[in-house]
Amino acid sequence: MDSLVLVAQFLTDPSNLMIIAVGTLVGLIVGALPGLGSVVLIALMLPFVVRMDPTTGIALCAIVYCATTYGGSLTAILINTPGTPAAAMTTFDGFPLAQKGQAGRALGIATFSSAIGGILGILVMIVATPLLAKLAYQFGPAEFFALAVFGMSMLASISGASMIKNFIGGAFGLLLATIGTDLTTGVERFTFGQPDLYEGIAVVQIMIGIFAGGELLRQATQTKVKRELIAEGVTRLPSWQDFRRIWKTVLRSTGIGTVIGILPAEGGKVAAMIAYNEEYRWSKNKDEFGKGAIEGIAAPEAANNAATGGTMVPTLALGIPGGGSTAIILTAMLILGLRPGPQLFVEQPDLLAGIFGAMLGANVCFLIYGLLGAKLFSRITLIPTTILWPCVIALACLGAYSLQQSMFDIGVMIFFAVLGFFLNRHGYAPAPIIMGLILGELIETSLKQSYLIYDGNLLAILGQPIALAFLLLSLLGICGPLIAKALGAFRDKQASLLTGNDE
Amino acid sequence: MYRLMDGMKLVAAVAIVSCGASQVVADDFPSGPIEVINNSKPGGGSDIFLRFATEAAAEILDTSIIHLSKTGGVATNTLKYVQSKPADGHTLFIVNAGTALTMMSGSIDMDQDDIIPLVRGTVEPEFIVVQAGRFEGGADFIEYAKSNPIKQAGTKVGGNAHVNALIMKNTIGMAQQTYVPFEKSGEIVINVINGNVDVALLNHEEFASQAAAGQVDVLAVLLPERLENMPEVPTGHEIGLPMDSPQIRGLGVRAGTPEEVVDKLEAALLESMKSDTYVEYLKGSGQDLTSVTGRDAFGAEFKTMYDNYQSIKKELLGG
Amino acid sequence: MSTREESLRKTDRTLFLESIAVMAFAATMYGVTHTFREVPPILAQGIQPTAFPRAILIIMFLLAATQAFQALKRPATEASSFGKKKPVPPLVFLTIVLLIAFAMLMPIVGTFPAMAVFLPGLAVLWGERRWILMGLSFAGFIGFAYGLFVLIMQVPLP
């Protein structure tokens, strides 16, 4: 109950409301810009966030995360280009409906479903996070090791060219995490005599490079693409009939989105895909799908916004990122000296209330923006890439430099931009690499600690019920997609439509 | 003879010039922001100490203070960073047991003569903490440890806590001790509570809330005398563990920093630590202003610590 | 039909070569682990700092080997979803060169002059010819960046 009071306090402070209003606006615009999404935006924001007061900084990340997820749907509906990968499924029915001259109706359904999904997802998060965090008292090294392995095993099912490639990417990330001075022994590993690498490779610079820089180079392959505002429309609230048609869809998809979001490594993109598929599977009028079915808009939008709250749960409770964006938010928290887990709830109730409040506020705020000015925001997407991207990459360079005032960091940023681009072309997506990078240290230290606690017998980890459960789930996570593939139930077609950064 | 005279003239000339220069340096000091380097992660006990200790100093010296953290290899990366900076007083760093240990371990080409310990800020007592109800008392634990293997949790391997664990093992005559390193004290407490490890040496603030909740027991405080505000906790000497291991933290600069700058910094830091906020901070862990000492006393103390650690060097480094 | 099969075979060869490259990388890095300093047993606590990186590299090598094996075995139909790739346009390489030039120029001429050259440079490279639009937006952006980094964050930029 105390936490609700704190949330209310946060939301009544005018300066916080300002931050929500501005943060949501920025998030909405960036989300609507194709190629730019929450991952790129939060990565670019990191250099600033780590200089802010922790609550404001992390709350701001959470705000833009919510707003970008919704912003992506605007462009999906109006110009048939998903503003973020999570909005890819929204183009299937959103754009056809807009073409029929009902853009306002499509935007209304998307806005409404996004806000409901988002708010319900956050409510689940407010309840589930402290519960999961309490469980963390039973989490020793064995359990954390198993949990981190579970996180890595989810790489099997996130979309991408192939499971093996995701795992190779994950292993590469784990390897990157070992660069620098080993914390327990003080031995330099893979530093190649470079003093700049003693402290480990700069995670933030890698993220900026691999997400923002990699996307710049991808844009360079398609500078000829022209975007046009094909449909226009003023957002309209869903009619009573529409509402009656979609409310079940919204609730179902919210449930799917939240659960998928809570699973480590899975983000809004996968949530939207599964929700759309489920809606199609159970729908009575299947032939309407792909031609402008409002359920086809409501399902992915409710799911990907619900996933936003879901992905924050394991991030805050256990320090295991729920997806790409939360991986960056987690990094920001660690730099600010905040360690997710049960202590966080005892020591920093303000911070958590701030995050919860900010996310709730952002959802309400984008509902208002969406109803008032969807048309305006969609016009912003017509900023020429030739103007936008040089600015983005310059911002990335300055941001990478400003963290430690080091030219070496710009070098790291550019190196990973180039590396990330070519790896992505060959099917090694950035998200698994980042997951490995984030979880690497946890896996190594918890493994070492387990080795000491169980007198060198690592099999004893299997004797811990929670750890065993997670390891079995990992096995299921790896074998599940294989089995599904064997049964032919895995839809290659839809998976291959989703390219680019995860989430 | 002739040459020697020349040489002496030269030395004198250099001395005069450098003296004049350093006077100018002292007047100009600080000519920019002062960096304070911590050797552990932000948000930990050392970070909090450094921020409180230097808070008022920024105003006194009329400059800004930047806090940086260079972790890795106990104090290795901190000292490496300090080494890469000029000895002009613009780079301060934490001086604690980890500093002495790192110099000893040979992971860096520095010894005690390469740094000047400026001021001491804290002398925090350590407590023996175990799972609630696990042992009858301190004597029971020591009896158990003499004939059973013990898993002891602490922070970085090769750091202060590890060394104290080794001293504890030798003083008790433990049958077998496995040291399990964790990154943060919060994890140590959790693993003491859930029984993954048997014992840990912790500062009061690191286990205070869990002790209040009855999740952990405190067996002893490692000090010569009982604490005034916790008279019920016996000392290590009383339960058969005669060792004192208060956690000492202070600030230092590189040797070779002009004498006038060192004086100015010492004075500013001592004044900063007399501020109300710092006294409040000390109170939080049961200390008072006697924890704060200047350069002479702290230098001598650091030297003693440095020399004492030589005795366990062999055990630690296996050499 | 024959050209299609050829292109498929080509895809498989790419995948095979890719896997070999990953295997070579893992093997090389494994070699590098031999240069790590050995630590005394009490510091290593039973696990040498080489153990974890080596385990990852072995896993990476095995994954790549599996992939190489699959590339050789894969039936033509299954490879179809990967399709053939267009070659990387030269524009990408030129963009990379420009980016590196920008980073090298920053410490020499200063951040903002370097940006004043780089921003229009990249835009022109990407085919932008509306000079007034470019002038206005980039001048505005440089002003924004100056305000953000120099005035608000007070970062000492080169």
Side-chain angles (χ1 to χ4, degrees):
Chain A
M1 275 307 111
D2 286 352
S3 59
L4 284 181
V5 175
L6 284 172
V7 171
Q9 266 171 9
F10 180 87
L11 283 175
T12 44
D13 182 336
S15 68
N16 290 335
L17 291 179
M18 266 292 289
I19 292 170
I20 292 175
V22 175
T24 309
L25 187 64
V26 173
L28 239 167
I29 293 170
V30 172
L33 289 166
L36 286 176
S38 58
V39 184
V40 176
L41 177 60
I42 301 173
L44 287 176
M45 273 168 42
L46 267 185
F48 309 98
V49 167
V50 297
R51 286 156 192 266
M52 291 179 184
D53 146 64
T55 307
T56 316
I58 303 299
L60 191 59
C61 290
I63 291 167
V64 300
Y65 182 28
C66 290
T68 45
T69 310
Y70 163 67
S73 71
L74 300 178
T75 16
I77 292 169
L78 293 176
I79 64 170
N80 199 21
T81 308
T84 58
M89 306 307 289
T90 313
T91 58
F92 289 7
D93 284 283
F95 183 64
L97 194 62
Q99 270 182 321
K100 286 183 195 167
Q102 301 182 27
R105 185 172 166 220
L107 288 173
I109 300 278
T111 307
F112 175 78
S113 310
S114 295
I116 299 292
I119 289 168
L120 290 178
I122 293 158
L123 293 180
V124 171
M125 164 183 144
I126 292 177
V127 176
T129 312
L131 287 179
L132 194 61
K134 272 210 189 98
L135 207 66
Y137 265 115
Q138 292 161 35
F139 271 53
E143 286 78 12
F144 270 112
F145 171 71
L147 187 62
V149 168
F150 175 58
M152 292 303 287
S153 79
M154 294 314 260
L155 295 179
S157 51
I158 68 174
S159 52
S162 88
M163 189 170 127
I164 292 187
K165 286 186 174 183
N166 283 345
F167 281 133
I168 292 177
F172 181 61
L174 291 175
L175 196 67
L176 287 177
T178 66
I179 294 178
T181 314
D182 178 29
L183 275 178
T184 48
T185 57
V187 170
E188 286 166 27
R189 300 190 293 188
F190 301 114
T191 56
F192 304 100
Q194 273 287 341
D196 288 297
L197 290 176
Y198 287 155
E199 275 187 77
I201 198 152
V203 180
V204 177
Q205 284 78 352
I206 294 181
M207 285 177 171
I208 296 177
I210 218 163
F211 287 122
E215 186 61 31
L216 164 87
L217 297 177
R218 213 172 66 82
Q219 294 288 336
T221 65
Q222 49 185 46
T223 48
K224 296 283 184 302
V225 179
K226 287 266 183 294
R227 296 202 176 86
E228 279 175 79
L229 199 59
I230 303 169
E232 286 201 37
V234 178
T235 313
R236 278 193 316 229
L237 267 179
S239 66
W240 180 241
Q241 276 162 317
D242 281 354
F243 178 76
R244 285 203 4 201
R245 216 173 118 187
I246 59 164
W247 72 271
K248 275 186 194 154
T249 305
V250 169
L251 289 185
R252 206 165 27 228
S253 304
T254 299
I256 292 174
T258 313
V259 172
I260 301 279
I262 291 175
L263 293 179
E266 308 278 4
K269 188 167 81 176
V270 180
M273 195 173 93
I274 293 180
Y276 186 90
N277 285 346
E278 287 309 305
E279 207 48 48
Y280 176 75
R281 191 201 309 261
W282 301 110
S283 172
K284 284 177 202 119
N285 35 2
K286 284 192 170 57
D287 49 330
E288 245 188 79
F289 273 74
K291 294 172 195 148
I294 55 170
E295 293 91 340
I297 304 170
E301 281 307 307
N304 64 27
N305 285 284
T308 312
T311 54
M312 293 296 281
V313 175
T315 313
L316 293 174
L318 302 168
I320 305 280
S325 305
T326 42
I328 310 177
I329 296 178
L330 181 65
T331 307
M333 291 179 69
L334 294 176
I335 295 175
L336 287 166
L338 307 165
R339 195 167 182 92
Q343 307 99 297
L344 193 66
F345 289 80
V346 181
E347 291 161 15
Q348 308 267 352
D350 296 358
L351 172 83
L352 289 155
I355 296 173
F356 296 152
M359 290 179 78
L360 273 178
N363 272 278
V364 175
C365 198
F366 78 58
L367 182 66
I368 298 169
Y369 286 147
L371 291 175
L372 294 178
K375 192 169 140 194
L376 196 67
F377 296 125
S378 55
R379 283 199 174 268
I380 288 161
T381 64
L382 300 177
I383 295 176
T385 47
T386 48
I387 301 288
L388 177 66
W389 281 95
C391 295
V392 169
I393 202 66
L395 206 57
C397 284
L398 297 191
Y401 176 84
S402 69
L403 276 168
Q404 306 180 44
Q405 279 103 53
S406 145
M407 285 309 291
F408 183 81
D409 286 351
I410 296 193
V412 169
M413 199 281 283
I414 296 178
F415 177 78
F416 276 90
V418 177
L419 187 71
F421 170 75
F422 284 102
L423 286 179
N424 205 0
R425 266 185 78 82
H426 287 273
Y428 301 93
I433 301 175
I434 294 299
M435 277 304 279
L437 186 60
I438 299 280
L439 292 177
E441 199 183 309
L442 180 62
I443 293 187
E444 182 172 8
T445 49
S446 59
L447 194 61
K448 271 187 190 169
Q449 289 159 352
S450 306
Y451 181 87
L452 293 169
I453 287 172
Y454 303 117
D455 301 310
N457 177 19
L458 285 176
L459 286 178
I461 292 176
L462 299 176
Q464 308 299 310
I466 299 178
L468 181 66
F470 276 116
L471 288 175
L472 286 177
L473 280 174
S474 312
L475 208 61
L476 200 69
I478 296 170
C479 298
L482 284 180
I483 297 165
K485 203 172 179 179
L487 294 174
F490 214 63
R491 286 168 199 171
D492 275 341
K493 186 179 135 234
Q494 270 139 0
S496 65
L497 277 166
L498 302 165
T499 50
N501 298 338
D502 192 41
E503 273 190 69
Chain B
M1 203 57 198
Y2 181 75
R3 281 186 155 187
L4 189 66
M5 282 291 285
D6 252 16
M8 280 173 74
K9 269 183 201 161
L10 191 66
V11 169
V14 167
I16 290 163
V17 169
S18 66
C19 189
S22 67
Q23 191 52 52
V24 175
V25 168
D27 287 342
D28 284 351
F29 181 83
S31 59
I34 295 178
E35 290 183 339
V36 178
I37 320 297
N38 181 12
N39 60 30
S40 55
K41 293 205 167 182
S46 295
D47 186 42
I48 294 167
F49 154 68
L50 289 173
R51 285 175 198 275
F52 274 105
T54 58
E55 193 179 68
E59 213 170 296
I60 297 166
L61 290 168
D62 188 27
T63 184
S64 55
I65 287 183
I66 301 168
H67 288 272
L68 293 174
S69 154
K70 304 277 170 191
T71 56
V74 190
T76 311
N77 285 342
T78 297
L79 293 175
K80 268 185 187 160
Y81 180 79
V82 169
Q83 232 175 0
S84 75
K85 291 282 176 173
D88 61 1
H90 285 93
T91 313
L92 296 177
F93 54 92
I94 190 162
V95 176
N96 56 10
T99 313
L101 286 163
T102 305
M103 289 177 170
M104 215 179 66
S105 73
S107 65
I108 180 142
D109 184 25
M110 265 179 133
D111 63 27
Q112 55 172 331
D113 297 328
D114 290 316
I115 67 162
I116 304 170
L118 268 182
V119 286
R120 184 183 76 184
T122 71
V123 185
E124 243 186 290
E126 286 197 304
F127 297 80
I128 304 179
V129 178
V130 297
Q131 190 185 32
R134 176 89 189 273
F135 299 101
E136 296 287 321
D140 181 32
F141 165 72
I142 287 175
E143 232 12 75
Y144 177 85
K146 277 180 181 164
S147 48
N148 292 290
I150 287 289
K151 294 203 172 64
Q152 182 153 358
T155 47
K156 295 171 267 197
V157 170
N160 178 26
H162 189 191
V163 171
N164 284 340
L166 284 176
I167 296 173
M168 184 170 154
K169 175 194 168 197
N170 293 341
T171 319
I172 293 179
M174 280 190 193
Q176 193 205 329
Q177 182 198 50
T178 309
Y179 186 74
V180 187
F182 290 89
E183 245 187 77
K184 279 211 148 185
S185 52
E187 295 169 56
I188 299 177
V189 175
I190 287 181
N191 283 285
V192 168
I193 293 172
N194 64 25
N196 279 330
V197 294
D198 300 303
V199 64
L201 295 181
L202 295 170
N203 296 143
H204 185 252
E205 64 197 45
E206 294 172 334
F207 65 87
S209 60
Q210 286 83 2
Q215 291 171 302
V216 294
D217 284 345
V218 185
L219 298 183
V221 56
L222 300 180
L223 282 181
E225 280 164 33
R226 291 193 182 204
L227 282 166
E228 260 179 47
N229 51 357
M230 276 178 267
E232 72 284 2
V233 179
T235 67
H237 299 267
E238 294 173 47
I239 64 163
L241 175 57
M243 84 181 256
D244 305 316
S245 66
Q247 197 170 352
I248 289 164
R249 296 192 184 103
L251 285 139
V253 287
R254 255 186 90 175
T257 305
E259 198 62 28
E260 288 78 5
V261 171
V262 173
D263 289 343
K264 198 166 176 179
L265 276 172
E266 184 190 4
L269 288 169
L270 284 175
E271 201 184 325
S272 172
M273 289 183 188
K274 279 182 192 133
S275 68
D276 290 348
T277 41
Y278 193 73
V279 173
E280 274 303 306
Y281 159 76
L282 284 179
K283 262 191 201 163
S285 53
Q287 303 176 65
D288 55 30
L289 270 178
T290 54
S291 292
V292 179
T293 62
R295 187 177 160 191
D296 294 337
F298 186 39
E301 188 175 18
F302 185 74
K303 190 180 179 331
T304 313
M305 187 156 76
Y306 191 88
D307 294 341
N308 278 344
Y309 283 156
Q310 298 293 337
S311 61
I312 49 146
K313 180 176 179 175
K314 208 176 166 193
E315 183 167 5
L316 192 63
L317 301 176
Chain C
M1 197 63 202
S2 68
T3 51
R4 183 169 163 74
E5 262 173 17
E6 244 179 70
S7 81
L8 287 175
R9 213 171 293 143
K10 208 174 157 194
T11 327
D12 283 0
R13 196 161 61 211
T14 319
L15 187 65
F16 181 74
L17 289 176
E18 234 175 74
S19 312
I20 296 294
V22 174
M23 284 158 76
F25 171 79
T28 314
M29 287 298 130
Y30 196 93
V32 173
T33 61
H34 286 285
T35 64
F36 295 173
R37 198 160 50 85
E38 280 271 318
V39 295
I42 194 152
L43 282 182
Q45 297 271 321
I47 300 184
Q48 281 288 331
T50 47
F52 186 68
R54 281 183 184 167
I56 297 168
L57 287 166
I58 291 170
I59 292 173
M60 204 168 170
F61 188 87
L62 291 178
L63 283 168
T66 317
Q67 189 172 259
F69 184 71
Q70 276 185 353
L72 290 177
K73 282 275 179 180
R74 173 184 291 149
T77 47
E78 230 186 278
S80 64
S81 68
F82 288 88
K84 48 183 174 182
K85 271 191 203 94
K86 279 188 227 144
V88 180
L91 193 56
V92 172
F93 295 104
L94 290 172
T95 306
I96 295 171
V97 169
L98 204 60
L99 204 53
I100 294 171
F102 171 57
M104 309 240 286
L105 211 58
M106 255 175 76
I108 301 172
V109 302
T111 308
F112 295 99
M115 265 168 80
V117 177
F118 169 76
L119 293 173
L122 185 57
V124 170
L125 183 68
W126 281 22
E128 182 60 65
R129 293 293 181 271
R130 288 165 285 182
W131 302 103
I132 297 169
L133 176 72
M134 269 197 292
L136 286 178
S137 12
F138 290 144
F141 176 74
I142 291 174
F144 165 75
Y146 183 82
L148 196 60
F149 284 91
V150 179
L151 300 181
I152 299 178
M153 287 181 21
Q154 302 189 331
V155 179
L157 289 168

Short mmCIF file of all heavy atoms in Angstrom, two decimals, chain B residues 252-280:
data_model
loop_
_atom_site.label_atom_id
_atom_site.label_comp_id
_atom_site.label_asym_id
_atom_site.label_seq_id
_atom_site.Cartn_x
_atom_site.Cartn_y
_atom_site.Cartn_z
N GLY B 252 44.44 9.75 -0.30
CA GLY B 252 45.85 9.97 -0.53
C GLY B 252 46.12 10.65 -1.85
O GLY B 252 45.21 10.80 -2.68
N VAL B 253 47.38 11.07 -2.04
CA VAL B 253 47.83 11.61 -3.33
C VAL B 253 49.13 10.93 -3.71
O VAL B 253 49.74 10.25 -2.89
CB VAL B 253 48.09 13.14 -3.29
CG1 VAL B 253 46.81 13.92 -3.23
CG2 VAL B 253 49.03 13.51 -2.16
N ARG B 254 49.55 11.11 -4.94
CA ARG B 254 50.82 10.55 -5.40
C ARG B 254 51.98 11.21 -4.69
O ARG B 254 51.97 12.42 -4.47
CB ARG B 254 50.97 10.82 -6.90
CG ARG B 254 50.73 9.62 -7.77
CD ARG B 254 51.05 9.96 -9.19
NE ARG B 254 52.44 9.69 -9.49
CZ ARG B 254 52.96 9.80 -10.71
NH1 ARG B 254 52.22 10.21 -11.71
NH2 ARG B 254 54.21 9.51 -10.93
N ALA B 255 53.02 10.43 -4.40
CA ALA B 255 54.25 11.02 -3.88
C ALA B 255 54.83 11.89 -4.99
O ALA B 255 54.69 11.57 -6.17
CB ALA B 255 55.21 9.92 -3.48
N GLY B 256 55.51 12.98 -4.58
CA GLY B 256 56.05 13.90 -5.59
C GLY B 256 55.16 15.10 -5.78
O GLY B 256 55.52 16.05 -6.49
N THR B 257 53.98 15.07 -5.17
CA THR B 257 53.11 16.24 -5.20
C THR B 257 53.79 17.34 -4.39
O THR B 257 54.31 17.07 -3.30
CB THR B 257 51.75 15.89 -4.57
OG1 THR B 257 51.22 14.76 -5.24
CG2 THR B 257 50.77 17.04 -4.68
N PRO B 258 53.84 18.58 -4.92
CA PRO B 258 54.52 19.66 -4.20
C PRO B 258 54.03 19.77 -2.76
O PRO B 258 52.82 19.68 -2.49
CB PRO B 258 54.14 20.91 -5.01
CG PRO B 258 53.81 20.40 -6.36
CD PRO B 258 53.31 19.01 -6.21
N GLU B 259 54.97 19.97 -1.85
CA GLU B 259 54.69 19.98 -0.42
C GLU B 259 53.56 20.95 -0.05
O GLU B 259 52.68 20.64 0.75
CB GLU B 259 55.98 20.35 0.33
CG GLU B 259 55.97 20.00 1.80
CD GLU B 259 55.82 18.50 2.05
OE1 GLU B 259 56.24 17.69 1.18
OE2 GLU B 259 55.27 18.14 3.08
N GLU B 260 53.58 22.12 -0.67
CA GLU B 260 52.58 23.15 -0.33
C GLU B 260 51.18 22.67 -0.73
O GLU B 260 50.20 22.94 -0.03
CB GLU B 260 52.90 24.48 -1.05
CG GLU B 260 54.11 25.20 -0.51
CD GLU B 260 55.42 24.60 -0.99
OE1 GLU B 260 55.39 23.66 -1.82
OE2 GLU B 260 56.48 25.04 -0.54
N VAL B 261 51.10 21.98 -1.86
CA VAL B 261 49.80 21.48 -2.32
C VAL B 261 49.29 20.40 -1.37
O VAL B 261 48.11 20.38 -1.00
CB VAL B 261 49.93 20.91 -3.77
CG1 VAL B 261 48.65 20.21 -4.17
CG2 VAL B 261 50.26 22.04 -4.74
N VAL B 262 50.22 19.55 -0.92
CA VAL B 262 49.84 18.50 0.03
C VAL B 262 49.27 19.13 1.30
O VAL B 262 48.23 18.71 1.80
CB VAL B 262 51.06 17.61 0.35
CG1 VAL B 262 50.71 16.62 1.46
CG2 VAL B 262 51.52 16.86 -0.89
N ASP B 263 49.95 20.16 1.80
CA ASP B 263 49.49 20.83 3.02
C ASP B 263 48.09 21.41 2.83
O ASP B 263 47.21 21.29 3.67
CB ASP B 263 50.46 21.95 3.42
CG ASP B 263 51.76 21.37 3.95
OD1 ASP B 263 51.77 20.16 4.29
OD2 ASP B 263 52.76 22.10 3.99
N LYS B 264 47.93 22.05 1.67
CA LYS B 264 46.66 22.71 1.40
C LYS B 264 45.51 21.69 1.34
O LYS B 264 44.43 21.90 1.89
CB LYS B 264 46.77 23.44 0.05
CG LYS B 264 45.71 24.50 -0.16
CD LYS B 264 46.08 25.40 -1.32
CE LYS B 264 44.97 26.40 -1.62
NZ LYS B 264 45.31 27.31 -2.72
N LEU B 265 45.78 20.55 0.66
CA LEU B 265 44.78 19.50 0.54
C LEU B 265 44.44 18.90 1.90
O LEU B 265 43.28 18.69 2.23
CB LEU B 265 45.29 18.39 -0.39
CG LEU B 265 45.09 18.59 -1.88
CD1 LEU B 265 45.83 17.52 -2.66
CD2 LEU B 265 43.60 18.54 -2.22
N GLU B 266 45.51 18.64 2.70
CA GLU B 266 45.30 18.03 4.01
C GLU B 266 44.40 18.92 4.86
O GLU B 266 43.42 18.46 5.45
CB GLU B 266 46.64 17.80 4.71
CG GLU B 266 46.49 17.08 6.05
CD GLU B 266 47.77 17.06 6.86
OE1 GLU B 266 48.77 17.67 6.43
OE2 GLU B 266 47.77 16.45 7.93
N ALA B 267 44.74 20.21 4.87
CA ALA B 267 43.97 21.15 5.68
C ALA B 267 42.52 21.19 5.22
O ALA B 267 41.58 21.16 6.03
CB ALA B 267 44.60 22.53 5.60
N ALA B 268 42.34 21.24 3.89
CA ALA B 268 40.98 21.34 3.34
C ALA B 268 40.16 20.10 3.67
O ALA B 268 38.99 20.19 4.05
CB ALA B 268 41.06 21.54 1.83
N LEU B 269 40.78 18.92 3.56
CA LEU B 269 40.05 17.68 3.82
C LEU B 269 39.71 17.55 5.29
O LEU B 269 38.60 17.13 5.65
CB LEU B 269 40.86 16.48 3.33
CG LEU B 269 40.94 16.33 1.81
CD1 LEU B 269 41.97 15.28 1.42
CD2 LEU B 269 39.57 15.95 1.25
N LEU B 270 40.66 17.91 6.15
CA LEU B 270 40.39 17.82 7.60
C LEU B 270 39.23 18.74 7.97
O LEU B 270 38.37 18.37 8.76
CB LEU B 270 41.65 18.18 8.40
CG LEU B 270 42.72 17.10 8.45
CD1 LEU B 270 43.96 17.60 9.17
CD2 LEU B 270 42.19 15.84 9.13
N GLU B 271 39.22 19.92 7.36
CA GLU B 271 38.14 20.86 7.65
C GLU B 271 36.81 20.31 7.13
O GLU B 271 35.79 20.37 7.80
CB GLU B 271 38.45 22.21 7.02
CG GLU B 271 37.69 23.35 7.69
CD GLU B 271 37.92 24.67 7.00
OE1 GLU B 271 39.06 24.88 6.52
OE2 GLU B 271 36.98 25.46 6.91
N SER B 272 36.88 19.73 5.92
CA SER B 272 35.68 19.16 5.31
C SER B 272 35.08 18.07 6.20
O SER B 272 33.87 17.94 6.32
CB SER B 272 36.05 18.58 3.94
OG SER B 272 34.98 17.87 3.40
N MET B 273 35.96 17.30 6.85
CA MET B 273 35.47 16.19 7.67
C MET B 273 34.97 16.65 9.04
O MET B 273 34.46 15.85 9.81
CB MET B 273 36.58 15.16 7.85
CG MET B 273 36.86 14.40 6.58
SD MET B 273 38.10 13.17 6.89
CE MET B 273 38.42 12.61 5.24
N LYS B 274 35.18 17.93 9.35
CA LYS B 274 34.64 18.42 10.62
C LYS B 274 33.21 18.92 10.43
O LYS B 274 32.55 19.31 11.40
CB LYS B 274 35.52 19.55 11.16
CG LYS B 274 36.75 19.01 11.87
CD LYS B 274 37.61 20.11 12.45
CE LYS B 274 38.95 19.55 12.89
NZ LYS B 274 40.06 20.37 12.43
N SER B 275 32.73 18.92 9.19
CA SER B 275 31.39 19.43 8.91
C SER B 275 30.33 18.58 9.58
O SER B 275 30.56 17.41 9.89
CB SER B 275 31.15 19.46 7.40
OG SER B 275 31.09 18.14 6.93
N ASP B 276 29.16 19.16 9.79
CA ASP B 276 28.07 18.46 10.47
C ASP B 276 27.65 17.21 9.72
O ASP B 276 27.39 16.17 10.31
CB ASP B 276 26.86 19.40 10.60
CG ASP B 276 27.14 20.50 11.60
OD1 ASP B 276 28.14 20.38 12.33
OD2 ASP B 276 26.36 21.48 11.63
N THR B 277 27.60 17.32 8.38
CA THR B 277 27.15 16.16 7.61
C THR B 277 28.09 14.99 7.81
O THR B 277 27.66 13.84 7.93
CB THR B 277 27.08 16.47 6.11
OG1 THR B 277 28.20 17.23 5.74
CG2 THR B 277 25.81 17.17 5.73
N TYR B 278 29.40 15.27 7.86
CA TYR B 278 30.35 14.16 8.03
C TYR B 278 30.24 13.56 9.42
O TYR B 278 30.29 12.34 9.58
CB TYR B 278 31.78 14.62 7.74
CG TYR B 278 32.70 13.43 7.60
CD1 TYR B 278 32.64 12.64 6.46
CD2 TYR B 278 33.56 13.05 8.61
CE1 TYR B 278 33.43 11.51 6.33
CE2 TYR B 278 34.37 11.94 8.51
CZ TYR B 278 34.30 11.17 7.36
OH TYR B 278 35.07 10.05 7.24
N VAL B 279 30.07 14.41 10.42
CA VAL B 279 29.92 13.90 11.79
C VAL B 279 28.67 13.02 11.88
O VAL B 279 28.69 11.94 12.49
CB VAL B 279 29.86 15.07 12.80
CG1 VAL B 279 29.54 14.56 14.19
CG2 VAL B 279 31.19 15.82 12.81
N GLU B 280 27.59 13.46 11.24
CA GLU B 280 26.36 12.66 11.19
C GLU B 280 26.63 11.30 10.55
O GLU B 280 26.18 10.27 11.04
CB GLU B 280 25.28 13.39 10.37
CG GLU B 280 24.46 14.38 11.16
CD GLU B 280 23.78 13.74 12.35
OE1 GLU B 280 23.07 12.74 12.13
OE2 GLU B 280 23.99 14.22 13.49
#
